[in-house]
Amino acid sequence: MRASDLKTYAKNTWCPGCGNFAIELAARQAFVELMEGGKLRIENLVVLSGIGCHAKMSDYLRVNSFYSLHGRVVAPATGVKLANPELTVVGFAGDGDAYGEGLEHLVFAAKRNVGISMIIHDNGVYGLTTGQFTPTSPPGFPGKSTPRGSPEDPINPIALMLSSGATFVARAFPGNLQHLRSMIREAISHRGFSIVDVLQPCVTFRDTWDFFSKRVYDLQERGHDSSNWEEAMDRAREWDYGGGAERIPIGIFYKAERPTFEERVLGGRRPRGLPMPNLERILKDHI
């Protein structure tokens, strides 16, 4: 199979130059590489998306897919994984989607080490609704809802996920397609919860191509030890998602092995295929 085989007939409506194009291409290439390596079966892949420009991934990828509500990608992704742990579950979400509306789901998925992968299209702006500030917008960002500039400091998703117990935390930039593809591939290959924060330029409302191109560097090329949580947190603090950074690290910040949520909850059971339980009895026992 070729990466082009995973394209659909849907007309692409992203703005010319949008960083989403590279993410979609990198995802298709990563899926094919994983299939060729025997680590993924296309019929076992399930892609979920939220609401926003990123969500069109469900339209553009010819795989099993599911549109969720705004900010709720993680919740149905967790349900899919628990119903059938043999599936490969990949969620795509925007920064407003994942770090705003759905933040509590994301934190608990990391805490529980649910065996899903989250790819975050982080452009620091609500693009589909024409330019409001998000949790990762820099202070002073003059969005549609804050014409005089955002009065808030951004959150740092990398530090947040490390603090929440995530066992795979990475960052990528669409300007380096090969690296982005490898981060998606590594995230999907990880056993447990994985997240890739992708610094995705929005050419219409927050064009960051030039800013990031001049500053990103590869952690792995600098000899970063991704098994060291303290070192990962130090690298996460190297850039706080505000302005003025000289260098911005991309790559795998942290990677660890830990029992997954589905292993702990299911203990080897496979809910898919089991007979329907007696709901009246369950309600009687628990209410």
PDB file of all heavy atoms in Angstrom, residues 87-125:
ATOM      1  N   LEU A  87      -7.390  -2.822  18.910  1.00  0.00           N
ATOM      2  CA  LEU A  87      -7.421  -1.742  17.938  1.00  0.00           C
ATOM      3  C   LEU A  87      -6.301  -0.736  18.201  1.00  0.00           C
ATOM      4  O   LEU A  87      -5.870  -0.537  19.333  1.00  0.00           O
ATOM      5  CB  LEU A  87      -8.776  -1.022  17.990  1.00  0.00           C
ATOM      6  CG  LEU A  87     -10.010  -1.855  17.612  1.00  0.00           C
ATOM      7  CD1 LEU A  87     -11.270  -1.017  17.766  1.00  0.00           C
ATOM      8  CD2 LEU A  87      -9.881  -2.384  16.191  1.00  0.00           C
ATOM      9  N   THR A  88      -5.817  -0.105  17.124  1.00  0.00           N
ATOM     10  CA  THR A  88      -4.867   1.000  17.220  1.00  0.00           C
ATOM     11  C   THR A  88      -5.673   2.294  17.136  1.00  0.00           C
ATOM     12  O   THR A  88      -6.300   2.569  16.109  1.00  0.00           O
ATOM     13  CB  THR A  88      -3.845   0.947  16.067  1.00  0.00           C
ATOM     14  OG1 THR A  88      -3.122  -0.293  16.148  1.00  0.00           O
ATOM     15  CG2 THR A  88      -2.864   2.107  16.164  1.00  0.00           C
ATOM     16  N   VAL A  89      -5.684   3.058  18.212  1.00  0.00           N
ATOM     17  CA  VAL A  89      -6.569   4.222  18.322  1.00  0.00           C
ATOM     18  C   VAL A  89      -5.742   5.504  18.293  1.00  0.00           C
ATOM     19  O   VAL A  89      -4.871   5.712  19.143  1.00  0.00           O
ATOM     20  CB  VAL A  89      -7.399   4.150  19.614  1.00  0.00           C
ATOM     21  CG1 VAL A  89      -8.374   5.323  19.691  1.00  0.00           C
ATOM     22  CG2 VAL A  89      -8.148   2.820  19.696  1.00  0.00           C
ATOM     23  N   VAL A  90      -6.011   6.351  17.304  1.00  0.00           N
ATOM     24  CA  VAL A  90      -5.270   7.603  17.128  1.00  0.00           C
ATOM     25  C   VAL A  90      -6.255   8.764  17.111  1.00  0.00           C
ATOM     26  O   VAL A  90      -7.164   8.807  16.273  1.00  0.00           O
ATOM     27  CB  VAL A  90      -4.461   7.605  15.813  1.00  0.00           C
ATOM     28  CG1 VAL A  90      -3.672   8.908  15.679  1.00  0.00           C
ATOM     29  CG2 VAL A  90      -3.522   6.405  15.768  1.00  0.00           C
ATOM     30  N   GLY A  91      -6.086   9.700  18.036  1.00  0.00           N
ATOM     31  CA  GLY A  91      -6.941  10.873  18.093  1.00  0.00           C
ATOM     32  C   GLY A  91      -6.223  12.110  17.566  1.00  0.00           C
ATOM     33  O   GLY A  91      -5.054  12.336  17.881  1.00  0.00           O
ATOM     34  N   PHE A  92      -6.909  12.885  16.751  1.00  0.00           N
ATOM     35  CA  PHE A  92      -6.404  14.179  16.288  1.00  0.00           C
ATOM     36  C   PHE A  92      -7.256  15.265  16.950  1.00  0.00           C
ATOM     37  O   PHE A  92      -8.484  15.174  16.967  1.00  0.00           O
ATOM     38  CB  PHE A  92      -6.497  14.292  14.759  1.00  0.00           C
ATOM     39  CG  PHE A  92      -5.561  13.385  14.023  1.00  0.00           C
ATOM     40  CD1 PHE A  92      -5.947  12.097  13.668  1.00  0.00           C
ATOM     41  CD2 PHE A  92      -4.274  13.812  13.690  1.00  0.00           C
ATOM     42  CE1 PHE A  92      -5.077  11.243  12.990  1.00  0.00           C
ATOM     43  CE2 PHE A  92      -3.398  12.964  13.011  1.00  0.00           C
ATOM     44  CZ  PHE A  92      -3.803  11.682  12.662  1.00  0.00           C
ATOM     45  N   ALA A  93      -6.598  16.288  17.472  1.00  0.00           N
ATOM     46  CA  ALA A  93      -7.324  17.360  18.155  1.00  0.00           C
ATOM     47  C   ALA A  93      -6.582  18.673  17.961  1.00  0.00           C
ATOM     48  O   ALA A  93      -5.371  18.695  17.704  1.00  0.00           O
ATOM     49  CB  ALA A  93      -7.468  17.047  19.644  1.00  0.00           C
ATOM     50  N   GLY A  94      -7.296  19.775  18.096  1.00  0.00           N
ATOM     51  CA  GLY A  94      -6.664  21.086  18.061  1.00  0.00           C
ATOM     52  C   GLY A  94      -6.236  21.497  19.458  1.00  0.00           C
ATOM     53  O   GLY A  94      -6.583  20.843  20.445  1.00  0.00           O
ATOM     54  N   ASP A  95      -5.485  22.612  19.546  1.00  0.00           N
ATOM     55  CA  ASP A  95      -5.039  23.069  20.866  1.00  0.00           C
ATOM     56  C   ASP A  95      -6.217  23.557  21.704  1.00  0.00           C
ATOM     57  O   ASP A  95      -6.264  23.314  22.911  1.00  0.00           O
ATOM     58  CB  ASP A  95      -3.975  24.151  20.744  1.00  0.00           C
ATOM     59  CG  ASP A  95      -4.348  25.227  19.740  1.00  0.00           C
ATOM     60  OD1 ASP A  95      -4.616  24.888  18.581  1.00  0.00           O
ATOM     61  OD2 ASP A  95      -4.362  26.413  20.113  1.00  0.00           O
ATOM     62  N   GLY A  96      -7.192  24.226  21.092  1.00  0.00           N
ATOM     63  CA  GLY A  96      -8.373  24.612  21.839  1.00  0.00           C
ATOM     64  C   GLY A  96      -9.173  23.391  22.241  1.00  0.00           C
ATOM     65  O   GLY A  96      -9.691  23.293  23.358  1.00  0.00           O
ATOM     66  N   ASP A  97      -9.258  22.439  21.337  1.00  0.00           N
ATOM     67  CA  ASP A  97      -9.967  21.185  21.558  1.00  0.00           C
ATOM     68  C   ASP A  97      -9.381  20.419  22.748  1.00  0.00           C
ATOM     69  O   ASP A  97     -10.111  20.022  23.656  1.00  0.00           O
ATOM     70  CB  ASP A  97      -9.821  20.345  20.291  1.00  0.00           C
ATOM     71  CG  ASP A  97     -11.076  19.563  19.931  1.00  0.00           C
ATOM     72  OD1 ASP A  97     -12.178  20.089  20.131  1.00  0.00           O
ATOM     73  OD2 ASP A  97     -10.932  18.441  19.437  1.00  0.00           O
ATOM     74  N   ALA A  98      -8.064  20.205  22.720  1.00  0.00           N
ATOM     75  CA  ALA A  98      -7.420  19.329  23.701  1.00  0.00           C
ATOM     76  C   ALA A  98      -7.016  20.057  24.978  1.00  0.00           C
ATOM     77  O   ALA A  98      -7.137  19.503  26.076  1.00  0.00           O
ATOM     78  CB  ALA A  98      -6.181  18.680  23.078  1.00  0.00           C
ATOM     79  N   TYR A  99      -6.521  21.306  24.840  1.00  0.00           N
ATOM     80  CA  TYR A  99      -5.987  22.010  26.011  1.00  0.00           C
ATOM     81  C   TYR A  99      -6.996  22.975  26.625  1.00  0.00           C
ATOM     82  O   TYR A  99      -6.727  23.592  27.654  1.00  0.00           O
ATOM     83  CB  TYR A  99      -4.723  22.792  25.621  1.00  0.00           C
ATOM     84  CG  TYR A  99      -3.655  21.941  24.968  1.00  0.00           C
ATOM     85  CD1 TYR A  99      -2.854  22.451  23.939  1.00  0.00           C
ATOM     86  CD2 TYR A  99      -3.427  20.628  25.374  1.00  0.00           C
ATOM     87  CE1 TYR A  99      -1.877  21.678  23.332  1.00  0.00           C
ATOM     88  CE2 TYR A  99      -2.467  19.848  24.776  1.00  0.00           C
ATOM     89  CZ  TYR A  99      -1.687  20.381  23.750  1.00  0.00           C
ATOM     90  OH  TYR A  99      -0.712  19.596  23.152  1.00  0.00           O
ATOM     91  N   GLY A 100      -8.158  23.149  25.962  1.00  0.00           N
ATOM     92  CA  GLY A 100      -9.220  23.999  26.484  1.00  0.00           C
ATOM     93  C   GLY A 100     -10.404  23.146  26.911  1.00  0.00           C
ATOM     94  O   GLY A 100     -10.470  22.644  28.035  1.00  0.00           O
ATOM     95  N   GLU A 101     -11.313  22.928  25.957  1.00  0.00           N
ATOM     96  CA  GLU A 101     -12.560  22.218  26.264  1.00  0.00           C
ATOM     97  C   GLU A 101     -12.329  20.819  26.837  1.00  0.00           C
ATOM     98  O   GLU A 101     -13.041  20.386  27.731  1.00  0.00           O
ATOM     99  CB  GLU A 101     -13.427  22.097  24.998  1.00  0.00           C
ATOM    100  CG  GLU A 101     -14.075  23.386  24.553  1.00  0.00           C
ATOM    101  CD  GLU A 101     -13.167  24.178  23.635  1.00  0.00           C
ATOM    102  OE1 GLU A 101     -11.968  23.877  23.576  1.00  0.00           O
ATOM    103  OE2 GLU A 101     -13.667  25.101  22.968  1.00  0.00           O
ATOM    104  N   GLY A 102     -11.357  20.105  26.315  1.00  0.00           N
ATOM    105  CA  GLY A 102     -11.187  18.709  26.725  1.00  0.00           C
ATOM    106  C   GLY A 102     -10.005  18.458  27.633  1.00  0.00           C
ATOM    107  O   GLY A 102      -9.532  17.320  27.731  1.00  0.00           O
ATOM    108  N   LEU A 103      -9.539  19.472  28.326  1.00  0.00           N
ATOM    109  CA  LEU A 103      -8.299  19.316  29.101  1.00  0.00           C
ATOM    110  C   LEU A 103      -8.409  18.220  30.158  1.00  0.00           C
ATOM    111  O   LEU A 103      -7.466  17.449  30.355  1.00  0.00           O
ATOM    112  CB  LEU A 103      -7.929  20.644  29.766  1.00  0.00           C
ATOM    113  CG  LEU A 103      -6.631  20.625  30.579  1.00  0.00           C
ATOM    114  CD1 LEU A 103      -5.442  20.296  29.692  1.00  0.00           C
ATOM    115  CD2 LEU A 103      -6.426  21.974  31.270  1.00  0.00           C
ATOM    116  N   GLU A 104      -9.552  18.152  30.828  1.00  0.00           N
ATOM    117  CA  GLU A 104      -9.658  17.154  31.914  1.00  0.00           C
ATOM    118  C   GLU A 104      -9.570  15.739  31.348  1.00  0.00           C
ATOM    119  O   GLU A 104      -8.989  14.847  31.975  1.00  0.00           O
ATOM    120  CB  GLU A 104     -10.946  17.366  32.712  1.00  0.00           C
ATOM    121  CG  GLU A 104     -12.234  16.904  32.047  1.00  0.00           C
ATOM    122  CD  GLU A 104     -12.751  17.920  31.024  1.00  0.00           C
ATOM    123  OE1 GLU A 104     -12.024  18.845  30.640  1.00  0.00           O
ATOM    124  OE2 GLU A 104     -13.922  17.765  30.603  1.00  0.00           O
ATOM    125  N   HIS A 105     -10.128  15.508  30.170  1.00  0.00           N
ATOM    126  CA  HIS A 105     -10.036  14.167  29.568  1.00  0.00           C
ATOM    127  C   HIS A 105      -8.574  13.828  29.254  1.00  0.00           C
ATOM    128  O   HIS A 105      -8.118  12.701  29.463  1.00  0.00           O
ATOM    129  CB  HIS A 105     -10.852  14.110  28.277  1.00  0.00           C
ATOM    130  CG  HIS A 105     -12.316  14.296  28.474  1.00  0.00           C
ATOM    131  ND1 HIS A 105     -13.084  13.460  29.242  1.00  0.00           N
ATOM    132  CD2 HIS A 105     -13.168  15.240  27.999  1.00  0.00           C
ATOM    133  CE1 HIS A 105     -14.350  13.856  29.241  1.00  0.00           C
ATOM    134  NE2 HIS A 105     -14.423  14.943  28.491  1.00  0.00           N
ATOM    135  N   LEU A 106      -7.856  14.822  28.744  1.00  0.00           N
ATOM    136  CA  LEU A 106      -6.461  14.600  28.364  1.00  0.00           C
ATOM    137  C   LEU A 106      -5.597  14.276  29.588  1.00  0.00           C
ATOM    138  O   LEU A 106      -4.791  13.338  29.567  1.00  0.00           O
ATOM    139  CB  LEU A 106      -5.924  15.848  27.655  1.00  0.00           C
ATOM    140  CG  LEU A 106      -4.597  15.700  26.920  1.00  0.00           C
ATOM    141  CD1 LEU A 106      -4.751  14.804  25.697  1.00  0.00           C
ATOM    142  CD2 LEU A 106      -4.070  17.077  26.508  1.00  0.00           C
ATOM    143  N   VAL A 107      -5.786  15.049  30.655  1.00  0.00           N
ATOM    144  CA  VAL A 107      -4.996  14.840  31.876  1.00  0.00           C
ATOM    145  C   VAL A 107      -5.246  13.441  32.445  1.00  0.00           C
ATOM    146  O   VAL A 107      -4.302  12.732  32.831  1.00  0.00           O
ATOM    147  CB  VAL A 107      -5.337  15.925  32.918  1.00  0.00           C
ATOM    148  CG1 VAL A 107      -4.791  15.552  34.294  1.00  0.00           C
ATOM    149  CG2 VAL A 107      -4.787  17.277  32.480  1.00  0.00           C
ATOM    150  N   PHE A 108      -6.507  13.019  32.475  1.00  0.00           N
ATOM    151  CA  PHE A 108      -6.799  11.712  33.065  1.00  0.00           C
ATOM    152  C   PHE A 108      -6.373  10.568  32.148  1.00  0.00           C
ATOM    153  O   PHE A 108      -6.003   9.495  32.630  1.00  0.00           O
ATOM    154  CB  PHE A 108      -8.280  11.615  33.427  1.00  0.00           C
ATOM    155  CG  PHE A 108      -8.563  12.162  34.792  1.00  0.00           C
ATOM    156  CD1 PHE A 108      -8.799  13.508  34.974  1.00  0.00           C
ATOM    157  CD2 PHE A 108      -8.526  11.333  35.904  1.00  0.00           C
ATOM    158  CE1 PHE A 108      -9.024  14.031  36.235  1.00  0.00           C
ATOM    159  CE2 PHE A 108      -8.748  11.840  37.177  1.00  0.00           C
ATOM    160  CZ  PHE A 108      -9.004  13.201  37.348  1.00  0.00           C
ATOM    161  N   ALA A 109      -6.402  10.766  30.846  1.00  0.00           N
ATOM    162  CA  ALA A 109      -5.887   9.721  29.946  1.00  0.00           C
ATOM    163  C   ALA A 109      -4.391   9.532  30.158  1.00  0.00           C
ATOM    164  O   ALA A 109      -3.883   8.400  30.125  1.00  0.00           O
ATOM    165  CB  ALA A 109      -6.182  10.088  28.496  1.00  0.00           C
ATOM    166  N   ALA A 110      -3.673  10.654  30.380  1.00  0.00           N
ATOM    167  CA  ALA A 110      -2.241  10.564  30.668  1.00  0.00           C
ATOM    168  C   ALA A 110      -2.006   9.898  32.017  1.00  0.00           C
ATOM    169  O   ALA A 110      -1.139   9.016  32.155  1.00  0.00           O
ATOM    170  CB  ALA A 110      -1.632  11.963  30.638  1.00  0.00           C
ATOM    171  N   LYS A 111      -2.763  10.305  33.010  1.00  0.00           N
ATOM    172  CA  LYS A 111      -2.641   9.722  34.365  1.00  0.00           C
ATOM    173  C   LYS A 111      -2.881   8.222  34.351  1.00  0.00           C
ATOM    174  O   LYS A 111      -2.181   7.459  35.011  1.00  0.00           O
ATOM    175  CB  LYS A 111      -3.638  10.430  35.287  1.00  0.00           C
ATOM    176  CG  LYS A 111      -3.820   9.837  36.677  1.00  0.00           C
ATOM    177  CD  LYS A 111      -4.866  10.619  37.440  1.00  0.00           C
ATOM    178  CE  LYS A 111      -5.148  10.015  38.817  1.00  0.00           C
ATOM    179  NZ  LYS A 111      -5.826   8.732  38.715  1.00  0.00           N
ATOM    180  N   ARG A 112      -3.894   7.807  33.572  1.00  0.00           N
ATOM    181  CA  ARG A 112      -4.277   6.394  33.551  1.00  0.00           C
ATOM    182  C   ARG A 112      -3.420   5.566  32.604  1.00  0.00           C
ATOM    183  O   ARG A 112      -3.462   4.352  32.620  1.00  0.00           O
ATOM    184  CB  ARG A 112      -5.748   6.283  33.123  1.00  0.00           C
ATOM    185  CG  ARG A 112      -6.716   6.851  34.125  1.00  0.00           C
ATOM    186  CD  ARG A 112      -8.092   7.073  33.530  1.00  0.00           C
ATOM    187  NE  ARG A 112      -9.063   7.489  34.519  1.00  0.00           N
ATOM    188  CZ  ARG A 112     -10.230   8.065  34.241  1.00  0.00           C
ATOM    189  NH1 ARG A 112     -10.576   8.285  32.987  1.00  0.00           N
ATOM    190  NH2 ARG A 112     -11.041   8.414  35.202  1.00  0.00           N
ATOM    191  N   ASN A 113      -2.680   6.232  31.739  1.00  0.00           N
ATOM    192  CA  ASN A 113      -1.894   5.559  30.704  1.00  0.00           C
ATOM    193  C   ASN A 113      -2.777   4.731  29.775  1.00  0.00           C
ATOM    194  O   ASN A 113      -2.519   3.545  29.499  1.00  0.00           O
ATOM    195  CB  ASN A 113      -0.791   4.683  31.313  1.00  0.00           C
ATOM    196  CG  ASN A 113       0.291   4.336  30.304  1.00  0.00           C
ATOM    197  OD1 ASN A 113       0.580   5.097  29.388  1.00  0.00           O
ATOM    198  ND2 ASN A 113       0.890   3.166  30.470  1.00  0.00           N
ATOM    199  N   VAL A 114      -3.852   5.369  29.278  1.00  0.00           N
ATOM    200  CA  VAL A 114      -4.729   4.721  28.303  1.00  0.00           C
ATOM    201  C   VAL A 114      -3.934   4.499  27.005  1.00  0.00           C
ATOM    202  O   VAL A 114      -3.208   5.388  26.556  1.00  0.00           O
ATOM    203  CB  VAL A 114      -5.960   5.608  28.018  1.00  0.00           C
ATOM    204  CG1 VAL A 114      -6.884   4.904  27.016  1.00  0.00           C
ATOM    205  CG2 VAL A 114      -6.706   5.919  29.309  1.00  0.00           C
ATOM    206  N   GLY A 115      -4.090   3.359  26.400  1.00  0.00           N
ATOM    207  CA  GLY A 115      -3.298   3.007  25.208  1.00  0.00           C
ATOM    208  C   GLY A 115      -3.782   3.655  23.931  1.00  0.00           C
ATOM    209  O   GLY A 115      -4.131   2.957  22.969  1.00  0.00           O
ATOM    210  N   ILE A 116      -3.795   4.981  23.915  1.00  0.00           N
ATOM    211  CA  ILE A 116      -4.185   5.726  22.712  1.00  0.00           C
ATOM    212  C   ILE A 116      -3.099   6.734  22.373  1.00  0.00           C
ATOM    213  O   ILE A 116      -2.267   7.078  23.219  1.00  0.00           O
ATOM    214  CB  ILE A 116      -5.527   6.472  22.905  1.00  0.00           C
ATOM    215  CG1 ILE A 116      -5.403   7.516  24.044  1.00  0.00           C
ATOM    216  CG2 ILE A 116      -6.655   5.491  23.234  1.00  0.00           C
ATOM    217  CD1 ILE A 116      -6.647   8.384  24.219  1.00  0.00           C
ATOM    218  N   SER A 117      -3.092   7.204  21.131  1.00  0.00           N
ATOM    219  CA  SER A 117      -2.142   8.228  20.695  1.00  0.00           C
ATOM    220  C   SER A 117      -2.905   9.500  20.360  1.00  0.00           C
ATOM    221  O   SER A 117      -3.925   9.444  19.662  1.00  0.00           O
ATOM    222  CB  SER A 117      -1.363   7.760  19.455  1.00  0.00           C
ATOM    223  OG  SER A 117      -0.650   6.581  19.731  1.00  0.00           O
ATOM    224  N   MET A 118      -2.425  10.639  20.843  1.00  0.00           N
ATOM    225  CA  MET A 118      -3.050  11.928  20.555  1.00  0.00           C
ATOM    226  C   MET A 118      -2.082  12.792  19.754  1.00  0.00           C
ATOM    227  O   MET A 118      -0.952  13.040  20.185  1.00  0.00           O
ATOM    228  CB  MET A 118      -3.441  12.632  21.852  1.00  0.00           C
ATOM    229  CG  MET A 118      -4.578  11.978  22.621  1.00  0.00           C
ATOM    230  SD  MET A 118      -6.130  11.916  21.677  1.00  0.00           S
ATOM    231  CE  MET A 118      -6.415  13.649  21.345  1.00  0.00           C
ATOM    232  N   ILE A 119      -2.535  13.251  18.593  1.00  0.00           N
ATOM    233  CA  ILE A 119      -1.755  14.161  17.750  1.00  0.00           C
ATOM    234  C   ILE A 119      -2.449  15.525  17.825  1.00  0.00           C
ATOM    235  O   ILE A 119      -3.582  15.671  17.353  1.00  0.00           O
ATOM    236  CB  ILE A 119      -1.698  13.680  16.278  1.00  0.00           C
ATOM    237  CG1 ILE A 119      -1.339  12.178  16.224  1.00  0.00           C
ATOM    238  CG2 ILE A 119      -0.712  14.520  15.496  1.00  0.00           C
ATOM    239  CD1 ILE A 119      -0.014  11.805  16.823  1.00  0.00           C
ATOM    240  N   ILE A 120      -1.773  16.518  18.405  1.00  0.00           N
ATOM    241  CA  ILE A 120      -2.403  17.806  18.648  1.00  0.00           C
ATOM    242  C   ILE A 120      -1.934  18.831  17.607  1.00  0.00           C
ATOM    243  O   ILE A 120      -0.737  19.108  17.486  1.00  0.00           O
ATOM    244  CB  ILE A 120      -2.074  18.341  20.061  1.00  0.00           C
ATOM    245  CG1 ILE A 120      -2.320  17.255  21.116  1.00  0.00           C
ATOM    246  CG2 ILE A 120      -2.911  19.594  20.340  1.00  0.00           C
ATOM    247  CD1 ILE A 120      -3.737  16.750  21.180  1.00  0.00           C
ATOM    248  N   HIS A 121      -2.888  19.381  16.856  1.00  0.00           N
ATOM    249  CA  HIS A 121      -2.603  20.441  15.879  1.00  0.00           C
ATOM    250  C   HIS A 121      -2.582  21.759  16.653  1.00  0.00           C
ATOM    251  O   HIS A 121      -3.617  22.395  16.846  1.00  0.00           O
ATOM    252  CB  HIS A 121      -3.681  20.489  14.798  1.00  0.00           C
ATOM    253  CG  HIS A 121      -3.839  19.218  14.028  1.00  0.00           C
ATOM    254  ND1 HIS A 121      -3.933  19.203  12.636  1.00  0.00           N
ATOM    255  CD2 HIS A 121      -3.921  17.922  14.420  1.00  0.00           C
ATOM    256  CE1 HIS A 121      -4.075  17.945  12.231  1.00  0.00           C
ATOM    257  NE2 HIS A 121      -4.075  17.154  13.295  1.00  0.00           N
ATOM    258  N   ASP A 122      -1.412  22.166  17.118  1.00  0.00           N
ATOM    259  CA  ASP A 122      -1.298  23.299  18.047  1.00  0.00           C
ATOM    260  C   ASP A 122      -0.856  24.560  17.300  1.00  0.00           C
ATOM    261  O   ASP A 122       0.339  24.791  17.106  1.00  0.00           O
ATOM    262  CB  ASP A 122      -0.304  22.938  19.155  1.00  0.00           C
ATOM    263  CG  ASP A 122      -0.270  23.990  20.250  1.00  0.00           C
ATOM    264  OD1 ASP A 122      -0.955  25.020  20.115  1.00  0.00           O
ATOM    265  OD2 ASP A 122       0.464  23.779  21.232  1.00  0.00           O
ATOM    266  N   ASN A 123      -1.836  25.374  16.891  1.00  0.00           N
ATOM    267  CA  ASN A 123      -1.486  26.622  16.189  1.00  0.00           C
ATOM    268  C   ASN A 123      -1.706  27.855  17.056  1.00  0.00           C
ATOM    269  O   ASN A 123      -1.517  28.978  16.617  1.00  0.00           O
ATOM    270  CB  ASN A 123      -2.271  26.762  14.875  1.00  0.00           C
ATOM    271  CG  ASN A 123      -3.765  26.593  15.073  1.00  0.00           C
ATOM    272  OD1 ASN A 123      -4.275  26.825  16.158  1.00  0.00           O
ATOM    273  ND2 ASN A 123      -4.467  26.183  14.027  1.00  0.00           N
ATOM    274  N   GLY A 124      -2.127  27.645  18.317  1.00  0.00           N
ATOM    275  CA  GLY A 124      -2.296  28.767  19.230  1.00  0.00           C
ATOM    276  C   GLY A 124      -3.400  29.724  18.833  1.00  0.00           C
ATOM    277  O   GLY A 124      -3.356  30.906  19.210  1.00  0.00           O
ATOM    278  N   VAL A 125      -4.413  29.214  18.116  1.00  0.00           N
ATOM    279  CA  VAL A 125      -5.522  30.085  17.704  1.00  0.00           C
ATOM    280  C   VAL A 125      -6.706  29.199  17.302  1.00  0.00           C
ATOM    281  O   VAL A 125      -6.516  28.076  16.831  1.00  0.00           O
ATOM    282  CB  VAL A 125      -5.103  30.993  16.523  1.00  0.00           C
ATOM    283  CG1 VAL A 125      -4.877  30.172  15.259  1.00  0.00           C
ATOM    284  CG2 VAL A 125      -6.132  32.087  16.265  1.00  0.00           C
TER     285      VAL A 125
END
